[in-house]
Amino acid sequence: MTSTFLFTVIMLSVLGAILAAVLYFVAQKFKVFEDPRIDEVGAVLPGANCGGCSLPGCRAFAERCVAAESLDDLFCPVGGNALMCSVAQILGKAAAEKAPMTAVLRCGGSCDKREQINCYDGLASCLVAAKLYDGNTACSYGCLMLADCVRVCSFGALQLDSQTGLPVVDEAKCTGCGACVKSCPKRLFELRNLGPKGRRIYIGCQNKDKGAVARKACGAACIGCGKCVKVCTFEAISMQNFLAYIDFNKCKLCRKCTSECVTGAIVEVNFPPKKATAVAAEPNNQPAKQLNLYE
């Protein structure tokens, strides 16, 4: 009885040793080397996993940074330039400084600008509603006001305005991750340069219908009149499909276009109020010329 017990113990011990040896050699054969710098880079990343870098998460971004020869095409919008400098120091590479970005909503069709012509009674999701119909107003390009963008924002930078029904971007919280851009089925969000002192100008409309149709559907629509294109001396505004677009890389924020826009489709953010038009009597009793003074 004792000999049988000892034999069993010995056999199990030998078998365990053999299996351990096999596992060791298999592990050595198929082991994957991982650069320790991946963990170092991952430690300085925000861990938001927002996808703003166009990669699945922060771990994937760290791996790409370590593997890449240059960081020029890699950027973490949440951490910004300061974080990329830290990554560059860890890897001994250079990181180009990039202008901070923020999301803007290219729709000014608030509740008072667009007449409701039907009522949606389905799942409260912009994506679902967009699959079923064009919207509850005559503008098929406008915001559906069902807050998909608010739900996907990991930073609390979007809220629905109870008065207008439109989502409002809090630029102090917005990281420019682009989650709202991807979530909007109408493609109404755009990432643009934050601008000096947070000032920026853009077209708050995506309606590509002809002027009369667009204006009838929404009081804040771009009607494609082209006045803004003509007045811009920097060639920053182009017209396509009856819709104007302002290139933020060319725009000098002079605000001439906003004075010409008859529908208010051009949005200006964080600018001081324009000074009143100056009118003064001239010696020859001729009417004085009106000058628009900008800060």
Side-chain angles (χ1 to χ4, degrees), residues 47-270:
N49 296 315
C50 61
C53 58
S54 300
L55 291 168
C58 291
R59 180 72 180 183
F61 181 74
E63 292 174 352
R64 183 69 61 84
C65 287
V66 172
E69 295 183 1
S70 170
L71 298 178
D72 291 346
D73 297 327
L74 294 166
F75 189 76
C76 173
V78 179
N81 291 313
L83 182 141
M84 291 307 299
C85 286
S86 299
V87 172
Q89 290 177 356
I90 293 172
L91 302 178
K93 301 175 182 178
E97 186 171 349
K98 297 185 179 182
M101 308 286 284
T102 188
V104 299
L105 177 69
R106 293 192 57 198
C107 177
S110 55
C111 297
D112 61 326
K113 299 291 185 180
R114 289 186 291 163
E115 181 182 358
Q116 184 172 335
I117 58 176
N118 59 65
C119 181
Y120 173 71
D121 193 25
L123 182 66
S125 166
C126 298
L127 182 60
V128 174
K131 296 288 186 181
L132 299 175
Y133 77 145
D134 288 334
N136 58 3
T137 69
C139 178
S140 61
Y141 302 90
C143 179
L144 296 169
M145 303 180 181
L146 295 175
D148 281 13
C149 54
V150 176
R151 287 187 286 271
V152 300
C153 182
S154 303
F155 308 97
L158 277 164
Q159 296 294 330
L160 281 187
D161 188 300
S162 58
Q163 299 296 321
T164 66
L166 297 173
V168 178
V169 180
D170 184 344
E171 66 181 50
K173 296 180 180 179
C174 181
T175 62
C177 70
C180 55
V181 177
K182 298 173 185 176
S183 71
C184 181
K186 296 289 188 178
R187 298 292 183 263
L188 294 177
F189 283 96
E190 180 187 8
L191 293 180
R192 298 179 70 90
N193 279 355
L194 183 62
K197 298 182 180 180
R199 296 174 182 175
R200 52 197 176 276
I201 297 176
Y202 59 92
I203 306 296
C205 180
Q206 285 277 44
N207 195 320
K208 299 177 179 62
D209 292 331
K210 290 184 178 180
V213 177
R215 185 62 182 270
K216 184 178 181 180
C218 177
C222 172
I223 57 176
C225 64
K227 290 184 177 181
C228 55
V229 178
K230 295 177 182 178
V231 77
C232 182
T233 57
F234 306 103
E235 299 182 349
I237 309 178
S238 57
M239 187 72 64
Q240 187 175 8
N241 296 326
F242 310 105
L243 180 66
Y245 179 78
I246 299 177
D247 185 342
F248 58 81
N249 291 310
K250 295 180 180 179
C251 179
K252 304 302 180 183
L253 305 177
C254 68
R255 296 202 285 176
K256 291 180 181 178
C257 56
T258 60
S259 299
E260 293 294 325
C261 185
V262 296
T263 64
I266 302 180
V267 182
E268 55 179 43
V269 183
N270 292 330

